[in-house]
């Protein structure tokens, strides 16, 4: 494996280490404001993933959109959104950026954590997720994936959910999934420990560049095109305790999402700062769609797909999941 992917892997800690750092380093010092009309809590800690999904978070910071709302936003890098769940539950992290919706919808249904979507972050789009294989692999298309070992970032989650749907529509058999964090996918693919990886940007571009990996399935194929993937998730407790802070965060992120949706250059400028991707590479990667507004109808698509694959046991009301500030 080449140096760059090794460096990425070395910089990202294991789940237990990341969770410990979040719990140890994020709480206790946030300033609460008593100013009339301002946010109750000025300092917001966001656990952020190194994915294109959270470009709006960094655009909002760089352009001072949070400051305009009276907020100071700190980003705590995390490898998987599920790693930040304990910190979110303990109030040591206020928001998870790039939060995988499957994980948090399941947590809400099970009652393990009452989560709420402050704003959508990313929807599926062409080339932003892909199933990749080595250049010399005999796998040529969806039907060749039956029974093959495929790496996904988290088991029984958004990647397997979407790929199962795509393969089902294509009349193809299902693979066997192996959990491998995004930064380690290149090494396991190179060593032949898996037959393919289902990666997201910017890792798709890095794997193509460094391993000459090739795409056999675009993750945006039917019936998952435009599906909501991730967003900015908090808890009911946070919203109830700090309603003005929640509303201020949502306004800033919504403004940044609108920038990301219209200005690819702004996204390309933000990516190297938190993904370590080079500026020239940022211009080439497949980006998700950045919805400027959250949609209950679109989230319902995801909930229905989860129900069909038994990742949820009952229907959830998407309107109840999506945060709406009091008027």
């Amino acid at each position: 494996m080449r140096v760059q992917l090794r460096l990425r892997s070395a910089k990202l800690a294991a789940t237990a280490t990341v969770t410990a750092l979040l719990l140890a380093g994020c709480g206790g010092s946030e300033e609460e404001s008593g100013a009339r009309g301002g946010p109750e809590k000025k300092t917001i800690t966001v656990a952020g993933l190194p994915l294109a999904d959270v470009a709006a978070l960094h655009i909002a910071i760089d352009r001072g959109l949070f400051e305009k709302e009276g907020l100071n936003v700190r980003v705590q890098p995390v490898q998987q959104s599920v790693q930040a769940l304990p910190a979110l539950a303990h109030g040591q992290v206020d928001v998870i950026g790039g939060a995988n919706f499957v994980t948090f919808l399941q947590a809400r249904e099970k009652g393990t954590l009452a989560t709420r979507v402050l704003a959508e972050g990313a929807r599926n789009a062409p080339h932003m997720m892909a199933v990749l294989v080595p250049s010399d692999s005999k796998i040529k298309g969806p039907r060749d994936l039956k029974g093959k070992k495929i790496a996904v970032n988290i088991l029984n989650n958004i990647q397997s959910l979407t790929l199962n749907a795509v393969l089902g529509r294509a009349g193809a058999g299902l693979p066997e999934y192996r959990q491998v964090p995004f930064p380690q996918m290149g090494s396991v693919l190179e060593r032949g420990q898996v037959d393919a990886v289902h990666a997201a940007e910017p890792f798709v571009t890095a794997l193509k560049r460094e391993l000459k990996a090739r795409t056999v399935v675009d993750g945006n194929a039917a019936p998952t095109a435009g599906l909501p993937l991730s967003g900015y998730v908090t808890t009911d407790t946070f919203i109830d305790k700090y309603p003005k802070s929640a509303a201020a965060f949502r306004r800033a992120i919504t403004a940044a999402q609108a920038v990301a949706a219209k200005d690819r250059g702004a996204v390309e400028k933000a990516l190297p700062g938190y993904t370590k991707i080079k500026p020239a590479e940022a211009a080439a990667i497949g980006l998700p769609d950045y919805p400027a507004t959250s949609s209950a109808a679109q989230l319902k698509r995801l909930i229905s797909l989860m129900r069909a694959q038994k990742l949820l046991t009952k229907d959830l009301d998407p309107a109840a999941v999506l945060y709406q500030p009091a008027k």
Side-chain angles (χ1 to χ4, degrees), residues 146-168:
K146 181 179 180 180
K148 297 297 191 295
K149 295 188 290 292
I150 298 183
V152 293
N153 193 45
I154 304 174
L155 292 175
N156 299 315
N157 215 282
I158 191 68
Q159 290 171 286
S160 57
L161 176 76
T162 53
L163 183 54
N164 286 346
V166 169
L167 295 178

Side-chain angles (χ1 to χ4, degrees), residues 208-277:
K208 287 183 173 181
R209 180 189 70 248
E210 301 194 17
L211 297 183
K212 308 303 179 187
R214 55 183 174 82
T215 298
V216 292
V217 177
D218 185 342
N220 192 56
T224 67
L227 194 73
L229 301 175
S230 65
Y232 300 88
V233 170
T234 188
T235 62
D236 289 351
T237 300
F238 177 84
I239 290 171
D240 292 342
K241 189 174 182 180
Y242 307 115
K244 294 177 183 177
S245 298
F249 185 94
R250 183 178 184 273
R251 286 193 298 268
I253 277 293
T254 297
Q257 287 279 122
V259 172
K262 295 179 180 178
D263 185 358
R264 182 184 171 101
V267 177
E268 292 176 7
K269 182 180 179 182
L271 284 171
Y274 72 96
T275 66
K276 310 305 179 184
I277 194 169

Side-chain angles (χ1 to χ4, degrees), residues 168-191:
R169 177 67 63 91
L174 298 181
E176 297 178 6
Y177 293 106
R178 301 287 186 271
Q179 181 165 312
V180 180
F182 284 128
Q184 298 171 21
M185 285 185 178
S187 61
V188 298
L189 186 65
E190 189 177 42
R191 293 197 298 265

Side-chain angles (χ1 to χ4, degrees), residues 43-73:
T43 299
I44 305 295
T45 301
V46 180
L49 277 75
L51 298 176
D53 299 34
V54 294
L57 174 65
H58 298 273
I59 289 172
I61 293 171
D62 293 343
R63 298 196 175 195
L65 299 179
F66 289 120
E67 290 180 20
K68 291 179 181 178
E69 296 290 346
L71 297 175
N72 171 36
V73 170

Side-chain angles (χ1 to χ4, degrees), residues 279-294:
E281 296 167 344
I285 73 171
L287 296 178
D289 286 337
Y290 299 103
T293 58
S294 300

